[in-house]
Structure formats: C-alpha cells, structure tokens
C-alpha cells in the first residue's frame, strides 16, 4: 500500500491512486461468489498491518475476503458465517 493508494467500498472494493493532484481509479474488485448474480454490499474493510498489499473485506453475504491488491485478485474467501458480517 503506497501512501498514494487508498480504498473505498460499496458493492465492490474500490482502489484509487492520487497522482499529481488527480484521483484515478485503479480497480473495482468484486467479492461475488460463483453463480451469485447480485453484488452484496461490503460492510467494512481494513488494510493488513503486516502486509502492505493485503486488504480484508466483510460483506452482508456472510463472506470475509482477503485481497491481494498488488495483483488485484482474491487470495482467500471465507464462507462460513450464518449471518451478515458488519464488523
């Protein structure tokens, strides 16, 4: 995670970069499971304290997703909660 990279969330994890005073979209990463038609809102996310290229997201579809933002892909997805995850 560079000091110029930041994130926001909605139904996707949105990665942004600040370059010469301009904000540019880097990626919109979806945590949708295979066969899932609608995107469930992400309820929270946080940067890893041990790896600058990792972000974890939580979703109302009961998933926790670990992202490798350097390669813009899911690294792990935990599907085991029986209720939406808000924290």
């Amino acid at each position: 995670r560079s000091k110029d990279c930041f994130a926001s969330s909605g139904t996707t994890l949105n990665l942004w970069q600040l370059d010469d005073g301009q904000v540019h979209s880097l990626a919109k990463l979806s945590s949708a499971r295979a066969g899932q038609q609608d995107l469930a809102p992400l309820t929270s996310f946080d940067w890893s304290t041990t790896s600058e290229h990792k972000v974890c997201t939580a979703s109302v579809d009961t998933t926790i997703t670990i992202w490798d933002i350097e390669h813009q892909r899911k690294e792990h997805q935990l599907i085991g909660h029986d209720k939406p995850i808000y924290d």
Side-chain angles (χ1 to χ4, degrees), residues 6-16 25-31 40 42 44-47 54-57 65-69:
F6 57 100
S8 64
S9 67
T11 54
T12 58
L13 176 64
N14 307 302
L15 301 177
W16 308 90
S25 176
L26 294 177
K28 289 183 179 245
L29 306 175
S30 169
S31 63
L42 300 177
S44 62
F45 69 91
D46 202 0
W47 297 94
K54 305 259 188 275
V55 174
C56 178
T57 60
T65 305
I66 309 294
W67 294 95
D68 175 341
I69 61 168

Side-chain angles (χ1 to χ4, degrees), residues 41-83:
L42 300 177
T43 55
S44 62
F45 69 91
D46 202 0
W47 297 94
S48 170
T49 58
T50 58
S51 177
E52 64 184 21
H53 299 292
K54 305 259 188 275
V55 174
C56 178
T57 60
S59 177
V60 297
D61 72 355
T62 72
T63 61
I64 298 287
T65 305
I66 309 294
W67 294 95
D68 175 341
I69 61 168
E70 182 177 30
H71 298 102
Q72 299 181 5
R73 64 177 178 83
K74 293 179 205 175
E75 191 166 273
H76 302 286
Q77 191 167 53
L78 307 170
I79 307 167
H81 297 84
D82 52 2
K83 293 186 180 177

Side-chain angles (χ1 to χ4, degrees), residues 32-44:
R33 293 185 253 174
Q36 186 178 7
Q37 303 243 340
D38 297 322
L39 297 178
L42 300 177
T43 55
S44 62

